[in-house]
Amino acid sequence: MTLKELLMKPEFSRLTLINREGDLERTVLTVESTETPDVAAYLPGNSLLLTTGMAFKDRPEEFLKFIQSLNDISCIGLAIKLGRFLDELAPEVIALADKLKFPLLRIPLECTLGEVYHGMLSHIWNNENDNLLNALNIQKKFSTLLLSGAPMKNMLNNLGMLLDKPVVILDLFGEIYEYGYKCGPEDRKLSRETFARMEEVFSGQPDEPYYMDEQCRTDKICIFPIRGISCNTYYLCVLHTEKVPAELSSLMIEEVLLIFGIYFYKNLYLICNKARFKEEFLQILLNRFEKETWTRRQMLTLGERYGFRAGSYYRVIVAQIPVTDQKNFQIGDFTKREERYLLIFQWIEEKLRKKYGNKIMFLPETDRWRYVMIMQEELKDIEKVLKDIYQRIEKGFGILLRFSFGNSTERPEEISRSYMEALEIFQGGSEEKTEGYISYYRPKNIMELLKSVSGNQIQELCLYTLKELAYPKDEMTEELKKTLSTYLDCRCSVSKTAEMMFLHRNTIKYRIKKCEEILNIDFENPNDCFSLQVGLMLSDYRKGV
């Protein structure tokens, strides 16, 4: 209850505000009475103090210190019975109270402190008892809805009717999750705008209720965070209200937020079950069942419920969450990582569904902390959509997703190949980047493949194929090797080789004859020529490493 609401009661209407700037919107939880000047050390927070001011008669400088000390401990105001020890308050005392917005109340001379004290305290206790009873009733009502499996829409309708105000649930990206009673398009728009403004004010999402600046507009809105396992995952918005609604005491709102928090925690398991079914179908697409093979018809039949369809274009995009350890996804024991993974899964899935329908499938790979997108037709604006996803996930979770594209295929049976190509990028394969977080697969060239072969193996193969020409030890052998390489590049043409090397034809013939004697091969055999070309390439590669 605020001090303003307390003073509006008929039995306390005779108390008047002395200083103009006193803030009557402060919440009062209890009333205390004292004449001791050092009482600030013993007062509970949010208390209203009653006094005659006896200890400060003719001592305004001590009264200034007293008011400052009360304000510092969140005392909500001071009610003084003037006319007994103090006739009026000194101007400097009133000025300090105005500066602090600390309420100074005048108790009429005909009222006793005991009468005011007991009357106020009794009223506050009765009000708290009413709030407690209301909170328990709300807990019972919403718990029953939760246990009966009522959707969030029903819960919000009940809350909206209870408050007679529009209510909205926003996700952590500021998008509408659900709305209730009397919540029209303008109300939903206002809730999104206020959430965006809140993020600007706090440079993120606050952990405490947020109230829209009263000077901003006439339509007030309250935003209450709903806590998940590790962070605020959703937000309850109450529109067209002044600060915390009178109908929602702190106990009542705590009960509502607790029930909503349990609802969303329960919802994580529903998301997880959905993800597991989709992941099983992904295993089929990727041919991970060793004892079973699936025909195209079977794939299409099983995948129909997930939006899989027959076509002539399939392309895999893998989205990888960075992980610092190899812990598996805990299905029955959610931690911060599982919650984060499932919320991202739910949000991206819904975004892709709204944007593309069944043009793209979105499947989870939980144990590898990845997501797999399967394009079922070419999407020209997919990079733009991935950029938005990347930015929103970074802002909402502080996670830097990476996306990799495999090549397209025309057959469902080859989706696994596109997946492996996309995955190879994360495992150190070749890639062509467009953005720092988007990569496209390209096949390795022969030199990149050689990186996986040991130096000893390359050296042995070169010596076996080229013999002493593999690693020349004198100038003559070096010239023979150069001539052999050019001769093979010129498709065994003496004339073209002589032209390329600026040498006489007879010189080329002589050198080639020497190579034949050393290598004991026939240059008319294509297989021998290919082996020599590979050997020459490998010997040069080995020399450069």
Side-chain angles (χ1 to χ4, degrees):
M1 172 181 286
T2 65
L3 187 55
K4 181 179 180 180
E5 291 169 340
L6 184 63
L7 296 177
M8 289 175 66
K9 304 299 176 183
E11 59 267 40
F12 309 123
S13 61
R14 289 176 294 173
L15 276 70
T16 57
L17 185 66
I18 297 174
N19 57 321
R20 292 182 179 180
E21 300 298 325
D23 179 14
L24 298 181
E25 295 295 338
R26 298 184 178 191
T27 300
V28 55
L29 298 180
T30 188
V31 178
E32 301 288 341
S33 176
T34 187
E35 300 298 340
T36 305
D38 61 349
V39 71
Y42 308 101
L43 281 180
N46 292 85
S47 58
L48 174 66
L49 183 62
L50 310 184
T51 184
T52 62
M54 177 181 66
F56 305 105
K57 185 178 181 180
D58 302 323
R59 299 171 63 197
E61 68 284 352
E62 294 299 321
F63 207 168
L64 292 173
K65 295 178 182 178
F66 184 61
I67 290 175
Q68 184 66 59
S69 67
L70 293 178
N71 186 75
D72 291 343
I73 63 163
S74 301
C75 177
I76 62 106
L78 183 66
I80 310 171
K81 184 175 179 179
L82 296 177
R84 186 175 178 185
F85 295 103
L86 295 174
D87 293 327
E88 297 291 339
L89 295 181
E92 57 268 31
V93 172
I94 296 176
L96 175 62
D98 276 339
K99 179 181 177 182
L100 300 174
K101 298 187 181 300
F102 184 81
L104 297 175
L105 303 177
R106 182 193 298 271
I107 301 176
L109 192 59
E110 63 271 20
C111 295
T112 66
L113 290 186
E115 174 188 356
V116 176
Y117 174 79
H118 289 294
M120 284 187 166
L121 200 56
S122 176
H123 186 81
I124 290 171
W125 284 351
N126 288 336
N127 184 70
E128 288 301 311
N129 287 335
D130 290 342
N131 286 339
L132 179 59
L133 182 60
N134 288 336
L136 292 174
N137 288 334
I138 283 182
Q139 182 194 53
K140 181 178 179 181
K141 180 175 185 177
F142 282 89
S143 295
T144 301
L145 288 171
L146 178 68
L147 293 174
S148 65
M152 179 55 71
K153 185 77 171 180
N154 288 7
M155 293 189 183
L156 289 179
N157 283 338
N158 275 271
L159 182 59
M161 286 187 283
L162 176 68
L163 301 174
D164 195 27
K165 298 180 188 299
V167 289
V168 179
I169 293 285
L170 299 173
D171 64 19
L172 53 79
F173 301 104
E175 296 183 2
I176 302 290
Y177 176 81
E178 191 55 270
Y179 58 90
Y181 175 74
K182 286 186 177 180
C183 189
E186 288 300 317
D187 295 321
R188 300 196 291 273
K189 179 182 177 183
L190 174 61
S191 66
R192 291 194 299 267
E193 291 174 348
T194 307
F195 185 88
R197 183 173 180 272
M198 177 185 73
E199 288 191 306
E200 293 176 3
V201 171
F202 291 94
S203 298
Q205 293 107 8
D207 290 328
E208 300 296 331
Y210 170 75
Y211 313 110
M212 191 171 188
D213 187 354
E214 294 184 5
Q215 298 178 352
C216 182
R217 58 187 299 154
T218 57
D219 293 330
K220 307 302 187 298
I221 180 170
C222 302
I223 300 181
F224 301 95
I226 301 173
R227 187 75 179 176
I229 295 174
S230 60
C231 63
N232 300 328
T233 54
Y234 294 91
Y235 292 82
L236 169 66
C237 302
V238 181
L239 293 93
H240 310 313
T241 184
E242 292 280 350
K243 291 200 171 180
V244 178
E247 300 86 343
L248 274 182
S249 69
S250 59
L251 280 174
M252 291 169 68
I253 190 62
E254 283 177 10
E255 293 300 329
V256 171
L257 295 177
L258 176 62
I259 296 299
F260 285 179
I262 295 173
Y263 171 89
F264 285 116
Y265 184 77
K266 174 185 172 185
N267 199 46
L268 279 181
Y269 284 89
L270 298 178
I271 299 171
C272 184
N273 287 334
K274 178 182 178 181
R276 289 177 66 190
F277 284 120
K278 298 188 79 170
E279 187 170 14
E280 286 180 5
F281 178 63
L282 177 63
Q283 306 305 314
I284 293 173
L285 288 178
L286 300 182
N287 299 319
R288 286 189 175 155
F289 294 99
E290 295 181 358
K291 297 182 179 180
E292 286 187 272
T293 57
W294 303 83
T295 65
R296 177 185 301 192
R297 185 174 181 178
Q298 289 173 322
M299 287 181 181
L300 292 171
T301 301
L302 291 170
E304 185 177 359
R305 63 186 294 191
Y306 307 117
F308 190 50
R309 65 187 194 187
S312 59
Y313 182 94
Y314 301 97
R315 189 173 194 180
V316 171
I317 306 170
V318 174
Q320 179 71 58
I321 288 181
V323 291
T324 56
D325 56 56
Q326 300 300 319
K327 288 184 179 179
N328 290 334
F329 189 95
Q330 302 297 317
I331 294 176
D333 185 20
F334 292 154
T335 64
K336 174 182 178 180
R337 297 202 314 171
E338 283 78 15
E339 176 190 49
R340 183 178 62 179
Y341 180 91
L342 291 172
L343 290 175
I344 293 174
F345 168 75
Q346 181 188 40
W347 182 80
I348 296 180
E349 181 184 49
E350 183 64 16
K351 182 176 181 65
L352 293 176
R353 185 191 64 79
K354 288 181 178 178
K355 176 71 175 176
Y356 296 119
N358 65 352
K359 295 178 182 178
I360 188 168
M361 294 176 62
F362 187 65
L363 306 170
E365 235 189 325
T366 53
D367 280 347
R368 295 170 175 82
W369 304 99
R370 290 196 287 260
Y371 308 100
V372 178
M373 305 176 198
I374 303 177
M375 296 166 54
Q376 302 191 90
E377 62 179 78
E378 195 168 0
L379 305 173
K380 300 295 185 183
D381 60 345
I382 187 64
E383 280 195 5
K384 181 180 179 182
V385 173
L386 294 182
K387 180 177 182 180
D388 181 59
I389 290 174
Y390 173 86
Q391 292 174 340
R392 300 291 288 277
I393 297 300
E394 180 185 13
K395 184 177 181 181
F397 293 96
I399 292 175
L400 302 178
L401 279 179
R402 284 188 60 201
F403 303 95
S404 62
F405 285 68
N407 289 324
S408 62
T409 179
E410 296 180 355
R411 303 171 64 235
E413 300 91 330
E414 294 180 353
I415 287 176
S416 59
R417 177 179 59 78
S418 182
Y419 167 84
M420 292 305 298
E421 290 170 349
L423 198 59
E424 190 172 334
I425 294 173
F426 295 126
Q427 297 173 342
S430 300
E431 58 182 303
E432 291 179 357
K433 292 186 178 180
T434 55
E435 298 277 358
Y437 50 88
I438 298 178
S439 305
Y440 288 86
Y441 173 81
R442 64 175 176 82
K444 291 181 178 179
N445 60 37
I446 190 169
M447 301 311 292
E448 290 171 326
L449 287 172
L450 290 177
K451 293 178 182 178
S452 61
V453 181
S454 71
N456 288 336
Q457 289 177 313
I458 292 176
Q459 187 175 21
E460 288 175 6
L461 178 61
C462 291
L463 290 172
Y464 175 80
T465 305
L466 298 175
K467 298 183 172 51
E468 62 192 69
L469 297 182
Y471 306 106
K473 296 181 179 180
D474 55 60
E475 187 176 348
M476 177 59 72
T477 310
E478 183 69 41
E479 289 300 320
L480 286 177
K481 182 180 180 180
K482 288 180 182 179
T483 303
L484 175 62
S485 177
T486 307
Y487 181 69
L488 292 172
D489 289 341
C490 293
R491 298 185 180 182
C492 301
S493 170
V494 174
S495 299
K496 289 184 179 180
T497 306
E499 183 180 344
M500 289 290 295
M501 299 188 71
F502 303 101
L503 295 172
H504 194 276
R505 282 170 50 88
N506 291 337
T507 303
I508 300 299
K509 286 181 178 182
Y510 170 76
R511 290 183 179 180
I512 295 301
K513 186 174 179 58
K514 289 290 292 182
C515 290
E516 287 179 335
E517 293 173 357
I518 294 172
L519 303 174
N520 191 26
I521 65 164
D522 181 4
F523 284 107
E524 293 183 2
N525 187 326
N527 291 332
D528 286 347
C529 291
F530 176 74
S531 297
L532 289 174
Q533 285 183 304
V534 171
L536 288 166
M537 184 184 298
L538 290 176
S539 66
D540 289 340
Y541 170 79
R542 176 63 183 160
K543 185 170 61 176
V545 295

